[in-house]
Amino acid sequence: MSALDGLYQEVILDHAKRRSGKGLAAPAPGHAVAESHQYNPTCGDEITVRAELAPAPPGAEDAEPVVQRISWEGEGCSISMAAASVLAETAPGLTRSELLGLIGAFRELLRSRGTVEPDEELLGDAAAFAGVSRFAARVKCAMLGWVAAEEAVGRTG
């Protein structure tokens, strides 16, 4: 195992243990909120993701809503829980479009079968899941919370 693979494995294990964003948080008044529940019948992983977006500031009619928080509740393997944790840490402060772009980049990485180098600047800790792309059966595990967030954010518009 390379040093980078070891670091990535550490990131995943850390997120699997401490689980940022776990527990469906109550939204702030005036914020858009939507949820999505996803289930992976292959392994039994399941998750409910709540996306909370703040409206664009007054006078910025062309501005997009901004993700305030991604919270979640679920059970599953370390990969799915760690991926949800990474998403919960990464998403706040992004606009809806930026979050959807991030989800698209994560999906591309995971579907690449190891042919795409992770863009650590864009993906942050999500780059740690690059090795998962070599295991087709685990890709859905890593994507589960991200797909739920994508669906939830789509419902807030």
Side-chain angles (χ1 to χ4, degrees):
M1 178 183 341
S2 74
L4 186 57
D5 287 340
L7 175 63
Y8 282 171
Q9 187 175 18
E10 245 180 75
V11 168
I12 292 171
L13 291 173
D14 181 49
H15 276 279
K17 287 178 188 167
R18 64 182 169 88
R19 300 185 180 188
S20 296
K22 186 160 174 39
L24 296 174
H31 287 184
V33 67
E35 290 181 7
S36 173
H37 180 81
Q38 298 291 318
Y39 174 67
N40 183 349
T42 305
C43 63
D45 291 356
E46 65 181 297
I47 193 165
T48 300
V49 170
R50 179 176 290 163
E52 178 184 347
L53 282 80
E61 289 77 28
D62 293 341
E64 286 187 72
V66 174
V67 177
Q68 292 300 296
R69 179 178 12 209
I70 297 288
S71 59
W72 58 276
E73 193 64 52
E75 291 299 324
C77 68
S78 293
I79 291 173
S80 66
M81 299 296 98
S85 175
V86 167
L87 175 65
E89 280 191 3
T90 306
L94 299 177
T95 65
R96 177 188 288 127
S97 293
E98 289 169 338
L99 177 58
L100 293 174
L102 178 68
I103 293 168
F106 188 62
R107 179 179 282 118
E108 179 184 354
L109 174 68
L110 290 177
R111 290 184 175 169
S112 76
R113 305 251 183 194
T115 62
V116 171
E117 279 296 312
D119 180 345
E120 292 184 26
E121 192 170 315
L122 172 64
L123 293 169
D125 279 356
F129 293 87
V132 171
S133 70
R134 295 187 300 267
F135 303 97
R138 306 304 290 187
V139 168
K140 190 164 185 178
C141 298
M143 281 300 303
L144 198 64
W146 292 64
V147 168
E150 182 178 47
E151 188 174 293
V153 168
R155 291 179 183 170
T156 63

